[in-house]
Amino acid sequence: MLIPSLIVHGGAGDMPIAEHADYLAGCRVAFEAGWRLLERGESALNAVEAAVRSMEDNPIFDAGVGSVLNSEGEIELDAMIMDGAQLDLGAVAAVRGIANPITLARRIMEDSGHNMLVGSGARQYAARIGMRLCSQAELTVPREVARFREYQKTTVKKQQQLADGHDTVGAVAIDRFGNIAAATSTGGMAFKLPGRVGDSPLVGSGAYADNLTGGASATGHGEFIMRVLLSKTATDAVGSGMTAQEAAEHAIAVLKRRVNGKAGIIVVDQQGRVGFAHNTPHMAVAWRSPISGEVQVYLQPDAAQIQE
Ligand code: ASP
């Protein structure tokens, strides 16, 4: 039996200082929601789903309630979950009116006979399996309405700056049986075009999990992340013998070198070591120290972990 391990993230970007404490608290609560399950012997899949649901329910993050608005003032959500034991996955893209898209992604993986459903088809499937549908208003928070109003009033250049927020959430775990799972959920990029799908629900980009190598979940500018299959790049790196930390740094270095992208990534390797790296000003992360057993949180840049 292995000692389980879990790492969660609450996005990588330029987080306003006034909100740092909320990001860290949200990551800690999400970590604990997942860890509780791992500790009592539940699967890595259950743990990553629980951790991500906790962040989808927390309005500070760009996932579930609190998601960013698109260019029409609507919320469209992307999410994926991957089971490294079976190399199985479930994903939803551009779905509206679902409070916990990660749970819908899991049901798609386990029950639909498909891997990915998008838009109205994903919502119809949710209704068919009895998941609660919600209104856009239930997912919308005043902070994002204010941001959208500002966006409508400003120039194109300023609009790009306003869109520069990356608070996607994700979790990666290994359970005591050595099963690895990864999950990612997001409202995507603010003011995106309707129908835009980012990296988060794309296998190998927003997440990847393989019991034979490791697991990863990414966050950041999806248009760049998907070009280098950031999560698969990281799990391939652990497969080739790197530690989780080395693999995270390697993946961000590849992203920077090949497409000049900005992102963050969390990684778990087969031995249960965790790692993370980012080349954004901040990245919100929580994990558990294997030595002290204490929950650790991180947000501020540290020269050792940033690949400029
Ligand atoms: N990766 C997400 C996307 O491009 C955004 C984020 O990480 O915040 O949709």
Side-chain angles (χ1 to χ4, degrees):
M1 293 253 187
L2 289 165
I3 298 174
S5 136
L6 171 69
I7 181 166
V8 308
H9 74 78
D14 199 354
M15 284 117 168
I17 288 171
E19 293 172 7
H20 284 189
D22 290 341
Y23 280 107
L24 291 176
C27 285
R28 186 184 283 274
V29 168
F31 177 88
E32 277 158 4
W35 184 251
R36 210 174 297 133
L37 304 185
L38 280 178
E39 254 190 333
R40 62 172 194 235
E42 290 197 31
S43 66
L45 263 181
N46 285 357
V48 295
E49 183 189 355
V52 165
R53 276 182 74 103
S54 159
M55 291 187 279
E56 288 175 337
D57 292 343
N58 184 334
I60 189 76
F61 299 111
D62 175 20
V65 62
S67 286
V68 298
L69 307 187
N70 69 13
S71 62
E72 305 296 307
E74 302 283 348
I75 290 176
E76 291 186 339
L77 303 166
D78 296 342
M80 85 163 265
I81 190 162
M82 185 157 182
D83 170 9
Q86 319 286 339
L87 290 186
D88 199 3
L89 69 111
V92 285
V95 67
R96 295 183 177 201
I98 300 288
N100 292 113
I102 201 64
T103 295
L104 178 55
R106 182 158 180 192
R107 293 293 303 271
I108 289 168
M109 173 172 83
E110 291 178 343
D111 303 327
S112 76
H114 299 301
N115 288 137
M116 184 183 224
L117 294 176
V118 307
S120 58
R123 194 170 149 87
Q124 267 168 31
Y125 184 72
R128 193 151 64 141
I129 61 174
M131 270 183 79
R132 195 179 75 83
L133 305 182
C134 66
S135 64
Q136 293 279 325
E138 271 181 75
L139 301 176
T140 308
V141 296
R143 176 193 70 228
E144 295 305 328
V145 174
R147 205 161 144 209
F148 181 68
R149 296 221 170 102
E150 207 183 325
Y151 161 82
Q152 286 179 308
K153 284 190 292 203
T154 52
T155 60
V156 172
K157 184 149 188 277
K158 182 88 196 302
Q159 283 181 348
Q160 274 158 7
Q161 283 163 15
L162 277 175
D164 202 23
H166 312 287
D167 315 331
T168 289
V169 305
V172 186
I174 183 167
D175 60 32
R176 58 174 70 170
F177 309 105
N179 291 316
I180 298 175
T184 304
S185 180
T186 188
M189 305 287 287
F191 321 126
K192 63 189 181 181
L193 290 175
R196 178 266 189 186
V197 174
D199 61 297
S200 306
L202 304 183
V203 59
S205 293
Y208 200 74
D210 181 350
N211 279 10
L212 300 184
T213 56
S217 167
T219 172
H221 200 149
E223 277 67 12
F224 296 90
I225 292 173
M226 65 174 79
R227 296 181 202 176
V228 297
L229 293 170
L230 192 66
S231 293
K232 184 69 162 69
T233 298
T235 58
D236 283 351
V238 282
S240 73
M242 289 188 197
T243 65
Q245 181 59 34
E246 288 164 353
E249 290 173 14
H250 167 76
I252 295 298
V254 169
L255 177 82
K256 171 81 185 153
R257 191 171 66 241
R258 297 291 285 119
V259 296
N260 200 21
K262 282 206 175 296
I265 192 161
I266 54 173
V267 182
V268 171
D269 65 30
Q270 241 189 339
Q271 279 112 62
R273 292 174 295 209
V274 301
F276 63 91
H278 61 107
N279 63 351
T280 52
H282 308 114
M283 180 175 185
V285 189
W287 71 101
R288 178 180 169 276
S289 159
I291 298 156
S292 67
E294 298 285 306
V295 181
Q296 313 282 301
V297 290
Y298 167 96
L299 192 135
Q300 291 289 351
D302 166 346
Q305 271 144 339
I306 297 217
Q307 305 280 313
E308 277 303 345

